[in-house]
């Protein structure tokens, strides 16, 4: 009872506040997303994502070196191929842009963890995450292509493959193929609870993956559902996922918390493009302090239970934390 209890005593100075701080961010918490494209000396600004770029492999290597120098342990690669078709054949091409980028980055930075997005939306002519049959996304035939894509990434040297398609059974199929081909050490980071969110708009510009028709609600999760996320996570762990992810992060802090409380595996969260872009836009208009809001958001994501945060803010946040 007051005046015995005075919680403000522990907030009196900056040193005291830091000493009793419950949640601490470090650069080791981050994975930095990168978009790789064919060509040389290419560094295309992404209009809806200030300070982010589509980069050719030579430029991506430079960025990866910067990322690693900041103490960030990992990157995740998204590819924009020269050729798209209905079967996503470029997704598993051994000479594809992601496969070549993996090799170049691992040659330059052997200790940097390279994660790869495993999905078909960047590689299909229609922009959907699966193979289309009779006007619908065919789940089971898509699994075979996803497994080939993950295997091609592993052969190129990827440390972690990250299936983001939300097809049923994909983790089990990918794990089986990787193990059979001698890649049992390759980690699977599953986009286990990926919602059909409106926050993905800027990413679709960056990855050139906007669906040509319809939407992705038949395979991505309904934003209104909470219990379903736990079911999806449980299934992916059962099938062999090593790390599970919630996407997006900011509007789904309750889901991150639920997953952390219910499962004994590392939990990742994706601070997605729309979450990034709205902060950048408001800051450009002078409506908020970008650095302060950025750090508050990232701290909230970690406080909710994320062990790993995929974020386009990774470089800027790491510099502040240093």
């Amino acid at each position: 009872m007051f005046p015995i209890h005075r919680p403000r005593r522990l907030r009196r100075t900056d040193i005291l506040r830091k000493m009793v701080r419950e949640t601490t961010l470090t650069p080791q918490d981050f994975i930095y997303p990168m978009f790789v494209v064919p060509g040389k000396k290419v560094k295309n600004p992404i209009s809806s994502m200030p300070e982010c770029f589509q980069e050719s492999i030579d430029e991506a290597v430079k960025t990866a070196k910067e990322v690693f120098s900041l103490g960030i342990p990992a990157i995740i690669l998204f590819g924009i191929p020269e050729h798209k078709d209905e079967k996503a054949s470029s997704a598993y091409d051994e000479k594809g842009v992601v496969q070549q980028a993996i090799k170049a980055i691992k040659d330059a930075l052997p200790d940097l963890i390279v994660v790869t997005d495993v999905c078909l939306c960047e590689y299909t002519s229609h922009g959907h995450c699966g193979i289309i049959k009779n006007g619908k996304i065919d789940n089971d035939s898509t699994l075979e292509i996803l497994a080939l894509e993950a295997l091609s990434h592993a052969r190129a040297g990827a440390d972690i493959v990250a299936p983001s398609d939300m097809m049923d059974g994909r983790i089990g199929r990918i794990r089986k193929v990787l193990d059979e081909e001698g890649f049992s050490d390759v980690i699977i980071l599953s986009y286990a609870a990926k919602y059909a969110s409106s926050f993905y708009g800027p990413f679709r510009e960056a990855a050139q993956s906007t669906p040509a028709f319809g939407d992705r609600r038949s395979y991505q999760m309904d934003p209104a559902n909470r219990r379903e996320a736990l079911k999806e996570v449980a299934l992916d762990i059962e099938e062999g996922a090593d790390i599970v992810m919630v996407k997006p992060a900011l509007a789904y802090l309750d889901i991150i918390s639920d997953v952390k409380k219910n499962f004994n595996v590392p939990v990742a969260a994706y601070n997605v493009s729309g979450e990034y872009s709205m902060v950048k836009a408001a800051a450009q208009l002078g409506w908020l302090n970008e650095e302060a809001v950025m750090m508050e958001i990232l701290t909230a994501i970690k406080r909710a239970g994320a062990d790993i945060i995929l974020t386009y803010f990774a470089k800027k946040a790491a510099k502040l934390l240093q």
Side-chain angles (χ1 to χ4, degrees):
M1 294 176 61
F2 183 81
I4 296 172
H5 297 291
R6 291 183 180 268
R8 285 186 56 197
R9 290 188 185 114
L10 297 177
R11 305 175 200 149
R12 189 166 47 86
T13 68
D14 187 53
I15 292 175
L16 277 170
R17 289 190 293 272
K18 288 179 179 176
M19 186 173 72
V20 298
R21 186 162 291 159
E22 298 173 29
T23 305
T24 304
L25 281 172
T26 76
Q28 289 286 321
D29 297 325
F30 303 141
I31 296 177
Y32 183 64
M34 296 173 59
F35 302 93
V36 290
V37 296
K40 291 184 179 180
K41 297 184 179 179
V42 178
K43 199 174 180 74
N44 297 325
I46 300 167
S47 62
S48 58
M49 298 174 66
E51 299 174 28
C52 294
F53 302 88
Q54 295 174 337
E55 298 176 293
S56 54
I57 293 169
D58 53 328
E59 293 294 332
V61 170
K62 294 177 186 176
T63 299
K65 288 179 178 178
E66 178 192 6
V67 168
F68 196 57
S69 73
L70 292 169
I72 299 166
I75 59 170
I76 183 168
L77 297 176
F78 298 89
I80 298 96
E82 286 185 299
H83 170 72
K84 299 188 180 194
D85 57 35
E86 291 188 358
K87 296 182 178 180
S89 58
S90 292
Y92 53 90
D93 184 350
E94 299 290 344
K95 296 182 180 179
V97 67
V98 166
Q99 289 81 354
Q100 292 183 67
I102 297 166
K103 292 175 183 176
I105 292 169
K106 290 301 289 185
D107 284 347
L109 297 159
D111 293 330
L112 177 68
I113 297 170
V114 174
V115 187
T116 59
D117 178 70
V118 176
C119 195
L120 305 187
C121 60
E122 299 114 295
Y123 304 96
T124 53
S125 52
H126 45 72
H128 277 287
C129 302
I131 301 301
I132 294 177
K133 289 186 178 180
N134 301 318
K136 297 180 180 180
I137 307 299
D138 187 75
N139 190 94
D140 293 5
S141 60
T142 298
L143 301 187
E144 302 308 312
I145 307 300
L146 293 168
L148 289 174
E149 182 181 11
L151 180 60
S152 73
H153 293 174
R155 285 174 173 162
D159 302 288
I160 302 175
V161 294
S164 63
D165 54 283
M166 288 301 287
M167 298 296 127
D168 295 337
R170 77 231 196 263
I171 303 302
R173 182 60 185 152
I174 289 170
R175 184 75 273 164
K176 183 174 186 294
V177 169
L178 290 177
D179 289 353
E180 287 175 348
E181 295 295 325
F183 295 101
S184 58
D185 287 340
V186 172
I187 294 163
I188 296 180
L189 189 170
S190 170
Y191 288 64
K194 181 179 180 179
Y195 285 84
S197 172
S198 298
F199 283 99
Y200 301 149
F203 174 90
R204 290 174 181 171
E205 176 201 345
Q208 298 175 8
S209 61
T210 302
F213 62 89
D215 53 46
R216 295 176 176 149
R217 288 181 293 177
S218 71
Y219 44 102
Q220 294 177 359
M221 287 179 55
D222 185 340
N225 291 359
R226 186 171 184 170
R227 295 190 305 271
E228 185 186 9
L230 299 182
K231 179 179 181 179
E232 288 280 7
V233 170
L235 289 171
D236 283 3
I237 293 171
E238 183 180 336
E239 291 178 22
D242 302 289
I243 305 170
V244 296
M245 181 155 67
V246 176
K247 180 183 180 182
L250 189 55
Y252 298 85
L253 297 177
D254 58 327
I255 308 302
I256 298 170
S257 178
D258 287 350
V259 172
K260 183 66 174 180
K261 291 174 183 175
N262 283 277
F263 300 99
N264 190 27
V265 298
V267 177
Y270 202 142
N271 179 212
V272 298
S273 60
E275 297 168 352
Y276 172 85
S277 295
M278 67 183 185
V279 173
K280 300 294 285 189
Q284 287 177 354
L285 290 169
W287 291 350
L288 49 74
N289 180 315
E290 178 184 336
E291 291 184 353
V293 170
M294 170 187 72
M295 297 305 287
E296 187 173 342
I297 287 171
L298 295 176
T299 300
I301 295 168
K302 187 170 182 182
R303 188 185 67 236
D307 303 291
I308 301 165
I309 304 172
L310 288 75
T311 178
Y312 303 97
F313 284 124
K315 291 194 293 181
K316 178 167 282 191
K319 289 174 183 176
L320 283 178
L321 290 168
Q322 285 183 335

